[in-house]
Amino acid sequence: PKFGALAYSTKKAIFAGTISQNSQSEAEREALNFCRRESGSKDCKVIIGVRNGCVAAAEGRLDRNGFITTPAASATAEETEAKALALCKAKGAKDCKIIAHAGCSIPQ
């Protein structure tokens, strides 16, 4: 199996991810390291992980409350991005868009 993870810095609004790692803990550690390096902040958190699949995230605007981020995981890139957008809309957000395109961890 192969694993992936997506981390997010709320202070800097930066996503960082990793794919094709050999364990979930390795994928999460690498995603956090990339996020911290890219954002220069230690507030990064893993928001989703995947085993033999894809991860993505969408963002949308909420009335008066700023923005919402919706991560998703699924079997294919297209399905994962569609799921992230659907979750964003289901939470009542407007102008939902993919902000972390799907990355897939599929064993060869």
Side-chain angles (χ1 to χ4, degrees):
K2 291 294 181 182
F3 300 84
L6 193 59
Y8 181 65
S9 165
T10 54
K11 286 184 183 172
K12 302 286 184 170
I14 289 178
F15 282 93
T18 185
I19 57 172
S20 298
Q21 301 298 316
N22 292 318
S23 71
Q24 191 63 53
S25 61
E26 184 180 342
E28 290 178 8
R29 185 174 55 252
E30 286 300 308
L32 285 172
N33 287 339
F34 289 144
C35 181
R36 290 173 181 147
R37 202 163 39 245
E38 290 295 313
S39 68
S41 177
K42 295 188 179 197
D43 78 317
C44 294
K45 291 184 176 24
V46 172
I47 58 171
I48 198 161
V50 69
R51 177 180 189 256
N52 296 340
C54 305
V55 292
E59 181 180 79
R61 186 173 44 82
L62 295 172
D63 295 332
R64 296 189 204 117
N65 294 334
F67 291 85
I68 187 169
T69 302
T70 52
S74 196
T76 68
E78 297 81 14
E79 188 177 302
T80 303
E81 290 186 8
K83 188 174 178 181
L85 286 170
L87 286 169
C88 180
K89 291 173 186 169
K91 293 197 180 259
K94 295 177 175 64
D95 304 321
C96 293
K97 63 184 178 191
I98 297 295
I99 55 172
H101 287 278
C104 300
S105 295
I106 310 291
Q108 299 298 321

